[in-house]
């Protein structure tokens, strides 16, 4: 019997425990190197795209006093920062697993915590952005009084505290129940961890389903706010024409919302099928790899393009920076005296 089997706590699952142990051990030792490297391509591409655009937008936001004093831009900057952190740490995790580098348990737990905190930060900030838009459109005369810059900064601090406390509580529960099975397996892969949670102890399963519930509630809040905004402003005339700015903005926002919602729906369906032994463990791992390495990181790189560049002030500032650099490069040399 391998040392992974000896150290692993008992699992309450419909799957055969011994088969699960050996399948996961075989996956850890021989995880189809070529296929794993192919799954590394989407995170790397998204990280490169994110590094090229996100710091530029953040520079525009924080370098201009008039922009960084507005609530919508402070929330946008916070969301972009969360997404950039998530892209960095997830790509690092995917690269380490593709290179078969095994992290110590403490490093694995820290990496997972940072990923969870960054993901929650991005999701909670996205919900805050929708609430900000909701208040700005439905209560325009009271908007400044409701969300002044000072209150927005406090709200951002609160968002980060919630983003750290939410996964922190679950990690403490898992630590107290000795349920960090993935770290015992020396396998710090998020897709594999998602599979393990479905076959773990009751505490692990409870944390998994509570996390899904909170995420779905956030997405439902975002969807309800968009629906209310649409019906409240339907008679105002801003939706006339399919190419109107309101229609295009609404379409882009819902596109990002879809890319946030669909991966979670896919994970929920895959979880249900795994629990009821409709699909094999290997199939579940491949589905989790596809969802985590492609679908869950795609909105992180779409967000700055569909949200950030839609703001006139940010796009105008970027154009002025590019124009200034172009003029500096082509300016003629001074004539000799």
């Amino acid at each position: 019997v391998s040392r992974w089997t000896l150290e692993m706590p008992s699992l309450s699952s419909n799957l055969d425990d011994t088969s699960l142990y050996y399948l996961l051990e075989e996956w850890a030792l021989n995880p189809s190197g070529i296929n794993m490297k192919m799954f590394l391509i989407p995170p790397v591409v998204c990280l490169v795209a994110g590094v090229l655009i996100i710091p530029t937008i953040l520079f525009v936001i924080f370098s201009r006093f008039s922009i960084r004093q507005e609530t919508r831009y402070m929330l946008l900057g916070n969301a972009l920062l969360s997404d950039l952190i998530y892209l960095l740490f997830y790509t690092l995790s995917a690269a380490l697993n593709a290179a078969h580098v095994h992290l110590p348990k403490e490093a694995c737990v820290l990496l997972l915590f940072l990923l969870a905190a960054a993901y929650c930060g991005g999701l909670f900030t996205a919900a805050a952005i929708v609430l900000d838009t909701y208040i700005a459109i439905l209560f325009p005369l009271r908007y400044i009084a409701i969300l002044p810059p000072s209150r927005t900064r406090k709200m951002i601090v609160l968002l980060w505290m919630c983003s750290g406390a939410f996964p922190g509580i679950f990690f403490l529960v898992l630590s107290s129940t000795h349920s960090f099975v993935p770290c015992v397996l020396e396998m710090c892969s998020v897709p594999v961890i998602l599979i393990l949670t479905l076959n773990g102890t009751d505490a692990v399963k409870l944390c998994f389903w509570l996390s899904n519930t909170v995420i779905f509630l956030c997405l439902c809040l975002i969807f309800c706010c968009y629906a209310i905004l649409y019906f409240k402003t339907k008679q105002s005339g801003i939706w006339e024409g399919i190419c109107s700015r309101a229609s295009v903005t609404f379409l882009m926002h819902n596109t990002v919302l879809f890319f946030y919602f669909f991966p979670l729906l896919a994970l929920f369906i895959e979880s249900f099928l795994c629990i009821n032994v409709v699909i094999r463990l290997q199939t579940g791992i491949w589905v989790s790899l596809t969802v985590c390495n492609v679908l869950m990181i795609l909105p992180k790189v779409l967000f700055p393009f569909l949200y950030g560049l839609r703001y006139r002030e940010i796009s105008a500032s970027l154009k002025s920076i590019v124009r200034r650099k172009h003029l500096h490069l082509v300016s003629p040399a001074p004539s000799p005296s």
Side-chain angles (χ1 to χ4, degrees):
V1 182
S2 68
R3 66 183 180 89
W4 287 288
T5 306
L6 290 173
E7 294 179 358
M8 184 178 292
S10 59
L11 302 178
S12 56
S13 171
N14 292 331
L15 295 176
D16 179 68
D17 290 351
T18 305
S19 300
L20 178 65
Y21 301 156
Y22 282 113
L23 282 171
L24 290 175
E25 182 179 348
E26 181 182 359
W27 182 271
L29 297 175
N30 302 295
S32 304
I34 296 178
N35 294 327
M36 290 293 291
K37 289 181 174 61
M38 289 179 61
F39 276 105
L40 181 61
I41 295 176
V44 171
V45 172
C46 289
L47 176 63
V48 171
V51 168
L52 289 176
I53 187 64
I54 292 178
T56 306
I57 297 178
L58 290 176
F59 173 78
V60 170
I61 293 174
F62 293 111
S63 64
R64 284 164 170 76
F65 180 80
S66 60
I67 292 181
R68 69 172 181 264
Q69 288 299 306
E70 293 192 35
T71 297
R72 54 178 176 169
Y73 294 126
M74 285 191 280
L75 292 174
L76 174 64
N78 191 61
L80 293 176
L81 182 61
S82 300
D83 290 347
L84 183 60
I85 293 173
Y86 183 86
L87 285 173
L88 285 170
F89 284 114
Y90 188 85
T91 305
L92 174 63
S93 172
L96 291 176
N97 282 283
H100 310 299
V101 176
H102 299 299
L103 293 176
K105 178 179 178 179
E106 293 75 14
C108 178
V109 172
L110 178 60
L111 181 59
L112 293 176
F113 174 78
L114 292 173
L115 279 172
Y119 187 85
C120 291
L123 185 63
F124 293 163
T125 308
I129 289 175
V130 177
L131 287 175
D132 171 68
T133 306
Y134 180 86
I135 295 172
I137 293 177
L138 297 186
F139 307 98
L141 299 179
R142 299 171 53 194
Y143 175 73
I144 299 298
I146 296 174
L147 285 176
S150 58
R151 186 171 296 172
T152 303
R153 285 190 284 269
K154 294 177 182 178
M155 183 172 64
I156 291 174
V157 173
L158 180 61
L159 288 174
W160 276 108
M161 290 174 63
C162 293
S163 301
F166 179 66
I169 293 173
F170 287 159
F171 275 52
L172 288 175
V173 172
L174 296 178
S175 178
S176 62
T177 56
H178 306 286
S179 300
F180 273 116
V181 180
C183 302
V184 175
L185 279 169
E186 296 183 357
M187 203 185 312
C188 201
S189 171
V190 175
V192 175
I193 289 170
L194 290 175
I195 290 294
L196 285 168
T197 56
L198 303 176
N199 303 280
T201 62
D202 291 337
V204 175
K205 291 179 181 178
L206 178 63
C207 290
F208 176 77
W209 292 115
L210 284 178
S211 301
N212 281 343
T213 302
V214 171
I215 292 173
F216 272 109
L217 287 176
C218 287
L219 292 173
C220 288
L221 173 65
I222 295 173
F223 177 79
C224 290
C225 286
Y226 276 138
I228 293 172
L229 285 175
Y230 175 76
F231 288 110
K232 290 284 187 179
T233 59
K234 190 176 181 181
Q235 306 300 327
S236 64
I238 64 174
W239 303 100
E240 293 180 0
I242 194 173
C243 294
S244 65
R245 182 173 179 81
S247 299
V248 174
T249 302
F250 188 75
L251 177 62
M252 288 186 173
H253 287 191
N254 280 278
T255 300
V256 175
L257 177 62
F258 171 78
F259 280 112
Y260 269 108
F261 179 80
F262 180 73
L264 298 174
L265 179 63
L267 282 177
F268 178 82
I269 295 174
E270 182 255 334
S271 304
F272 178 80
L273 295 177
C274 279
I275 289 175
N276 292 277
V277 203
V278 177
I279 60 176
R280 300 193 316 168
L281 178 66
Q282 296 96 325
T283 305
I285 293 178
W286 287 118
V287 172
S288 296
L289 278 169
T290 303
V291 171
C292 293
N293 286 32
V294 181
L295 299 180
M296 289 190 74
I297 64 172
L298 194 57
K300 307 294 183 184
V301 75
L302 287 177
F303 191 87
F305 291 98
L306 298 183
Y307 268 76
L309 298 182
R310 286 287 297 170
Y311 289 110
R312 292 189 180 95
E313 293 84 352
I314 292 179
S315 59
S317 298
L318 289 176
K319 289 178 182 177
S320 66
I321 292 174
V322 173
R323 192 180 303 112
R324 193 179 304 118
K325 288 184 178 180
H326 179 73
L327 292 175
H328 177 73
L329 291 174
V330 300
S331 59
S335 58
S337 54

